[in-house]
Amino acid sequence: MTQTTSQQTWPRPSRHICWLMAALAVAGLAASDALPFLYTNARAPINWTQPQLDDWKVEVQPRSVVPHVELKYHANRTSTETADSDEEFLERLRALRQNHSSARMLWYDAAAGDGLTYPPFVDKALKLFNLKQVAFEIENSVLSKVSCTACKAGAGLLQHYIKSGKTDAELMKMIAQYCTNLSIQSPRVCEGVAQLFGSEVIYVLQRVNLGPDELCSFIIGDGCGDVYNPYHEWEVIFPPVPKPPRLPELPVPLEAAPFFKVLHISDTHYDPHYVEGANADCNEPLCCRLSSGRPASPNAAAGKWGDYRKCDTPKRTVDNMLAHIADTHKDIDYILWTGDLPPHDVWNQTKQENLEIIKETVKQMTEKFPGVPIFPALGNHESAPVNSFPPPYVNQVDISINWLYDELDVQWRRWLPQSVSHTVRRGAFYSVLVRPGFRIISLNMNYCNNKNWWLLLNSTDPATELQWFIYELQSAEFSNEKVHVIGHIPPGHSDCLKVWSRNFYKIISRYESTITAQFYGHTHFDEFEMFYDPHDLTHSNSIAYIGPSVSPYYDLNPGYRIYYVDGDHDTTTRLVIDHESWIMNLKEANLYGYPIWYKLYTARAAYNMKALRPSDWNKLLNDLTDNQELFEIYYKNYWKNSPARPTCDAECKKRMLCDCKSGRSHDRRHFCADVESKIDEGSSKSWKSWFYRGLTNSYSLITSITYLPKYLLGYG
């Protein structure tokens, strides 16, 4: 169903794999006999063997064609809430203090006041690779040539040891030892990462014939160059049906028309082992557990309702949020649930523990919202190890993903029709006709996840998901249905494979008259993502709503979204009419002992938007670029009004607005040049204004001191 082309694609890094690569990079320097192969240009001839794909046919699968949701009657509900409903919170919001903090690292240097010391034998490696910089970049998911060099050295060394005949056990032991000796992580985290991720990485590297350049370009993405690799280039095939002519401008939904009230919950990251008072300032990827050790001071103790540091959501906070939603929003028509249920303890997770968390949270949602349809999407943390989602052709019992997809089919069947079972068990994606003329399609975005190492074997439309997606959209177009798309990883995020994202972008453009909204999570921030006609960037054709996380991980307040969607009537657009974000101030909850959930903002009122069509969001993006005051409002909402949010300079502003404009991953230069130039121009003007204002103020101050000799002022 797909065809290959000759272009290139590369995403960005898996944090825990990069830890392994960083350790191996230094190992390469410690073993002098290993150095020559690390930088050799000699390459073995590529003998690519494509994995045997199955013969699954999209067009013969059953489809959901009967409306699945029966709407309930909600008395006295004729429109969204009034525009002045935010006023009761305004005074308290103004009073919230902005306590700025800098980014934190997991590795600390004692000499520099941050606690980290390296073994003496790696001094040379530190000078060459600057592991502290690598550690910082991995932790903050901003990878440069420093991390790229370390990745290539580590990948080369690992491939060398694989070819030399070392066993999997020997390789994983070596990885754990170097990780520990270099203080990249704590011994137990190093051991867990080596055991969980090492076997998978070794399995894949034994079956691909790619050099360190190709591997690290695939893993890290643009930060490691666009290295040509013809084996990860492919194109989906569209049916020979002309694209319907687009409207000059989408109509604005009628204000007084019926609507759906929709709850969006994402990234719960429920931690069953969260303990109030535990160490919240530990030196591991997840804290606030008994195993995190005793807090060094009262300020380092985990709060009752959660913590701004590297801690996930305690059960009492999840329970309180769901009870608040059920009590405050009694008229919810359906729920979008976009994944990431387990916590961030990625070094010691098991399949059974993750399944138990899925079962427990599904049971909790069912009890809190009886009779309310829920449409789930799969996150990247549901698998064990995290990000590991083998495509269907990887069907060995010990490494197949069937253990997860089969259980998801059982759990999701509480809300979904039986007709979706075949696609859920195949790839955790599905399509449901919600109401006459209105369909929801849930995608498994882990098949675009560049941290999913299984895609190195073959990234060509895993599980035939995108080709199936086209078939569903074409059928919807024939039936005059409008479609909402839900998933976890936003397609424009740097965690999404470039080639997958590029194909997805084409699909959105082709079916822009059918797809009226997209909904994702994953980033934990409150934001959005734009899509444009690939051949006309002045035409915005779709909007992706990226919902806030429930988890405060990290430096965030817990939050959720409410959408108002154009409902059942003769002229319905199925567009989002408006949306509002609700949060709980974690600092106040821990201080006063009880959380208060409140509406942070309503989109149209906060940003002065006429409607929420793609063109309206594009206008907002331009306004955010030009209007610093408006951008500061957006920045506050992006961070869910967290008192721990850092300051945002011009580079920060460029990154954020470029994220908004880039619905296609790893292509920022194509989308962001105008935004960046405007911000640079404004920043330059602001700097000059500040400079001259400073000179004027200094001169006024000096001249006001009357007793200074005149020659000091240039008069003598």
Side-chain angles (χ1 to χ4, degrees):
M1 301 295 289
T2 58
Q3 61 188 21
T4 58
T5 63
S6 329
Q7 298 176 6
Q8 57 249 42
T9 167
W10 316 120
R12 79 168 243 233
S14 169
R15 173 178 299 176
H16 303 93
I17 298 307
C18 285
W19 288 342
L20 307 188
M21 294 305 185
L24 286 167
V26 181
L29 290 179
S32 58
D33 59 334
L35 279 173
F37 79 88
L38 287 177
Y39 299 102
T40 179
N41 290 323
R43 288 288 309 282
I46 295 177
N47 182 19
W48 175 258
T49 302
Q50 179 168 317
Q52 183 176 358
L53 304 181
D54 55 16
D55 57 355
W56 191 74
K57 291 181 170 47
V58 171
E59 61 274 9
V60 300
Q61 307 304 321
R63 297 185 70 242
S64 170
V65 294
V66 177
H68 185 60
V69 174
E70 291 293 332
L71 293 181
K72 297 179 181 179
Y73 172 72
H74 300 287
N76 303 320
R77 192 180 82 170
T78 56
S79 63
T80 59
E81 299 206 16
T82 57
D84 61 353
S85 59
D86 290 332
E87 293 301 317
E88 59 185 305
F89 303 109
L90 186 58
E91 196 59 38
R92 190 166 71 86
L93 292 180
R94 286 173 178 166
L96 289 175
R97 301 178 64 181
Q98 299 182 10
N99 298 324
H100 305 306
S101 65
S102 59
R104 291 190 297 270
M105 295 173 56
L106 293 181
W107 303 272
Y108 302 94
D109 188 347
D114 58 12
L116 177 60
T117 56
Y118 294 116
F121 78 94
V122 297
D123 283 347
K124 182 179 178 182
L126 291 178
K127 293 176 182 178
L128 180 59
F129 289 122
N130 193 358
L131 271 191
K132 290 187 67 177
Q133 176 67 19
V134 174
F136 178 83
E137 291 182 1
I138 294 171
E139 179 61 27
N140 290 274
S141 294
V142 180
L143 277 294
S144 71
K145 292 182 179 179
V146 177
S147 295
C148 179
T149 302
C151 174
K152 291 177 182 179
L157 183 63
L158 186 56
Q159 288 182 313
H160 171 73
Y161 282 137
I162 289 175
K163 292 178 181 178
S164 69
K166 287 189 178 294
T167 65
D168 290 5
E170 290 174 326
L171 289 169
M172 288 188 285
K173 182 179 180 181
M174 178 189 68
I175 291 170
Q177 287 176 341
Y178 279 116
C179 173
T180 302
N181 291 338
L182 298 175
S183 299
I184 293 177
Q185 268 294 329
S186 68
R188 65 173 185 152
V189 172
C190 289
E191 180 68 25
V193 167
Q195 293 297 322
L196 275 175
F197 296 87
S199 58
E200 174 181 304
V201 173
I202 293 168
Y203 179 94
V204 171
L205 291 184
Q206 287 171 338
R207 288 159 176 79
V208 299
N209 195 357
L210 302 175
D213 288 353
E214 292 95 336
L215 287 171
C216 293
S217 185
F218 187 96
I219 299 166
I220 292 179
D222 292 347
C224 218
D226 278 341
V227 180
Y228 176 70
N229 189 334
Y231 307 125
H232 293 288
E233 283 300 326
W234 47 273
E235 300 287 343
V236 292
I237 299 175
F238 291 93
V241 180
K243 177 180 177 179
R246 72 188 190 203
L247 297 174
E249 187 176 41
L250 291 177
V252 175
L254 300 176
E255 290 289 345
F259 62 89
F260 301 145
K261 187 174 183 179
V262 182
L263 168 66
H264 183 187
I265 294 177
S266 194
D267 296 88
T268 310
H269 291 293
Y270 155 57
D271 186 1
H273 302 294
Y274 185 99
V275 175
E276 179 185 358
N279 185 14
D281 199 17
C282 73
N283 198 24
E284 293 183 338
L286 184 67
C287 306
C288 296
R289 295 173 155 200
L290 283 177
S291 58
S292 303
R294 297 175 63 86
S297 67
N299 288 335
K304 178 179 180 179
W305 297 97
D307 203 281
Y308 288 119
R309 288 159 288 196
K310 286 184 169 54
C311 304
D312 274 320
T313 319
K315 186 177 188 300
R316 63 164 59 96
T317 302
V318 178
D319 290 342
N320 183 272
M321 180 193 71
L322 296 180
H324 148 76
I325 294 173
D327 183 61
T328 306
H329 307 286
K330 299 179 184 296
D331 54 347
I332 292 173
D333 291 303
Y334 61 88
I335 299 171
L336 304 179
W337 195 19
T338 51
D340 265 13
L341 311 183
H344 287 86
D345 59 335
V346 295
W347 70 92
N348 67 347
Q349 290 179 334
T350 66
K351 296 176 181 178
Q352 188 58 41
E353 288 175 349
N354 280 15
L355 289 179
E356 288 303 317
I357 288 177
I358 292 171
K359 293 176 185 178
E360 184 175 348
T361 50
V362 166
K363 180 174 180 291
Q364 193 177 32
M365 293 289 286
T366 304
E367 292 173 349
K368 289 293 184 182
F369 305 104
V372 179
I374 300 178
F375 299 99
L378 181 64
N380 61 302
H381 276 264
E382 272 75 301
S383 184
V386 65
N387 299 315
S388 177
F389 295 88
Y393 58 75
V394 181
N395 52 19
Q396 294 93 320
V397 175
D398 58 332
I399 55 178
S400 168
I401 197 65
N402 290 345
W403 65 273
L404 177 60
Y405 292 174
D406 290 350
E407 185 60 39
L408 289 179
D409 183 45
V410 173
Q411 297 300 320
W412 290 358
R413 191 71 62 80
R414 300 169 186 245
W415 309 300
L416 303 179
Q418 185 175 357
S419 61
V420 308
S421 178
H422 64 292
T423 54
V424 171
R425 287 180 178 264
R426 173 177 174 81
F429 50 85
Y430 62 86
S431 172
V432 173
L433 185 65
V434 180
R435 297 289 297 155
F438 179 47
R439 180 175 296 274
I440 288 178
I441 297 179
S442 177
L443 296 177
N444 182 357
M445 301 301 289
N446 291 294
Y447 291 137
C448 90
N449 186 354
N450 57 16
K451 299 178 183 180
N452 182 6
W453 271 59
W454 295 104
L455 300 184
L456 277 168
L457 294 173
N458 188 338
S459 66
T460 303
D461 193 12
T464 330
E465 180 180 34
L466 288 185
Q467 209 63 59
W468 167 86
F469 185 42
I470 290 173
Y471 179 78
E472 284 292 323
L473 291 172
Q474 188 59 63
S475 300
E477 182 179 281
F478 285 151
S479 303
N480 293 316
E481 297 170 356
K482 300 299 182 184
V483 171
H484 284 184
V485 178
I486 68 173
H488 182 67
I489 300 175
H493 194 275
S494 56
D495 283 347
C496 188
L497 277 171
K498 184 175 182 179
V499 64
W500 198 100
S501 180
R502 186 183 67 227
N503 278 281
F504 183 85
Y505 204 83
K506 292 179 181 178
I507 295 172
I508 297 299
S509 179
R510 166 59 183 85
Y511 295 100
E512 64 174 280
S513 62
T514 298
I515 299 170
T516 57
Q518 305 175 55
F519 306 88
Y520 303 97
H522 186 62
T523 71
H524 291 206
F525 295 104
D526 189 300
E527 52 184 326
F528 67 95
E529 200 170 79
M530 292 297 304
F531 291 74
Y532 299 88
D533 186 321
H535 308 292
D536 179 11
L537 293 184
T538 64
H539 173 62
S540 51
N541 57 25
S542 190
I543 174 68
Y545 297 94
I546 303 176
S549 63
V550 175
S551 173
Y553 191 97
Y554 60 95
D555 284 344
L556 295 169
N557 284 318
Y560 67 87
R561 277 254 188 97
I562 294 289
Y563 299 97
Y564 298 95
V565 176
D566 205 1
D568 288 345
H569 58 93
D570 292 341
T571 59
T572 182
T573 63
R574 304 297 185 186
L575 291 167
V576 174
I577 303 169
D578 207 350
H579 79 66
E580 51 196 40
S581 288
W582 290 67
I583 67 165
M584 178 258 281
N585 186 289
L586 192 54
K587 182 179 179 180
E588 293 182 353
N590 287 332
L591 182 63
Y592 300 117
Y594 192 79
I596 297 176
W597 296 85
Y598 65 94
K599 182 165 56 176
L600 176 63
Y601 76 97
T602 301
R604 288 173 61 184
Y607 303 131
N608 193 27
M609 301 176 73
K610 178 181 179 181
L612 299 189
R613 301 165 298 178
S615 59
D616 298 302
W617 284 104
N618 186 58
K619 180 181 181 300
L620 173 64
L621 186 54
N622 293 328
D623 292 342
L624 291 173
T625 305
D626 300 329
N627 187 331
Q628 182 61 26
E629 184 177 351
L630 184 64
F631 174 78
E632 288 173 0
I633 294 174
Y634 176 76
Y635 185 69
K636 178 195 74 172
N637 296 334
Y638 174 91
W639 279 90
K640 293 179 282 185
N641 203 22
S642 169
R645 66 182 182 269
T647 56
C648 188
D649 58 13
E651 290 303 313
C652 160
K653 183 177 181 180
K654 286 193 287 187
R655 177 187 59 78
M656 286 182 59
L657 297 187
C658 200
D659 287 344
C660 293
K661 197 162 187 178
S662 303
R664 190 169 67 201
S665 69
H666 301 282
D667 208 358
R668 300 173 79 87
R669 285 175 292 184
H670 184 72
F671 293 105
C672 301
D674 58 334
V675 170
E676 292 180 343
S677 63
K678 284 184 179 180
I679 295 174
D680 284 337
E681 182 182 354
S683 177
S684 174
K685 289 179 180 178
S686 299
W687 183 87
K688 291 176 182 177
S689 174
W690 169 83
F691 181 75
Y692 288 120
R693 187 167 59 248
L695 284 179
T696 303
N697 292 338
S698 299
Y699 182 78
S700 299
L701 176 63
I702 293 173
T703 55
S704 68
I705 305 176
T706 57
Y707 60 83
L708 283 176
K710 288 185 177 181
Y711 69 85
L712 289 180
L713 302 178
Y715 298 147

